[in-house]
Amino acid sequence: NSFDCILFLETIEHVKNPVEFFKEFHRILKPNGVLILSTPNATSLKNMFYALSYRKLEKRKLIINELTKEQKHTGTHLEHIFNWDFPVLVRLLDMCGFETIDHKFTGSGPIVISILGKKIQIIKRDSKILNNFETLKTTHVMKARKKN
């Protein structure tokens, strides 16, 4: 019962046991305290293009090699342990004693794809192109209140 608000930004995708974090946040928040979190959106257009990039076995082998050789604790996207979509985040928050009170999708790019070995930027950073398809944006921003 110490804090009014906790910010947990671009972190949940890196932690091994997010339930432990959320339960601790619940414990230390004051009644009706607020948790604000952000994390990459698993169902973003950017992630869909990324998934298409490893449809071939050779690419998947390259990813395995990159992941095993990467320097640990650098905070890169390769160190993401989890990839979160909206329903799973809401369910996790609810399980840990939080009520989701607001959610926004934000960020559009950049999205760069490789065609015939050439990298092509198809969506620029902060492009407005996904404004009518918010669920395809790159990032979740959520506000949840501690249930009493």
Side-chain angles (χ1 to χ4, degrees):
N1 292 328
S2 301
F3 298 95
D4 295 316
C5 182
I6 294 173
L7 297 177
F8 197 49
L9 308 177
E10 301 301 309
T11 306
I12 188 175
E13 65 275 11
H14 296 275
V15 299
K16 291 180 184 174
N17 194 339
V19 170
E20 287 180 15
F21 279 80
F22 284 162
K23 286 186 175 179
E24 180 64 9
F25 295 159
H26 189 273
R27 186 186 73 76
I28 65 175
L29 276 170
K30 291 179 180 177
N32 293 312
V34 172
L35 170 64
I36 297 173
L37 71 93
S38 67
T39 188
N41 176 16
T43 59
S44 71
L45 185 61
K46 185 175 187 173
N47 278 340
M48 288 184 211
F49 277 117
Y50 181 63
L52 288 173
S53 78
Y54 54 79
R55 66 190 178 280
K56 294 183 180 176
L57 180 60
E58 298 82 29
K59 177 64 175 184
R60 292 192 301 271
K61 287 180 180 179
L62 179 64
I63 290 170
I64 291 168
N65 188 45
E66 287 175 2
L67 290 174
T68 56
K69 290 184 178 178
E70 183 189 46
Q71 183 180 352
K72 301 300 179 207
H73 312 297
T74 59
T76 70
H77 72 284
L78 295 176
E79 282 199 307
H80 289 180
I81 299 168
F82 295 105
N83 208 354
W84 301 96
D85 68 10
F86 176 72
V88 171
L89 281 170
V90 171
R91 185 178 302 117
L92 180 65
L93 287 164
D94 183 65
M95 281 177 22
C96 296
F98 290 93
E99 170 192 13
T100 301
I101 56 175
D102 198 10
H103 177 274
K104 301 249 187 297
F105 290 101
T106 184
S108 297
I111 298 178
V112 179
I113 61 172
S114 188
I115 298 177
L116 300 173
K118 185 176 180 180
K119 292 190 183 280
I120 299 172
Q121 185 174 21
I122 60 169
I123 296 181
K124 296 181 180 190
R125 180 175 305 282
D126 299 321
S127 171
K128 307 285 185 238
I129 197 166
L130 294 180
N131 283 353
N132 292 324
F133 306 96
E134 288 202 358
T135 57
L136 297 177
K137 289 186 173 186
T138 59
T139 305
H140 297 281
V141 179
M142 298 185 82
K143 182 178 180 183
R145 180 180 295 122
K146 177 180 177 175
K147 295 180 194 174
N148 296 320

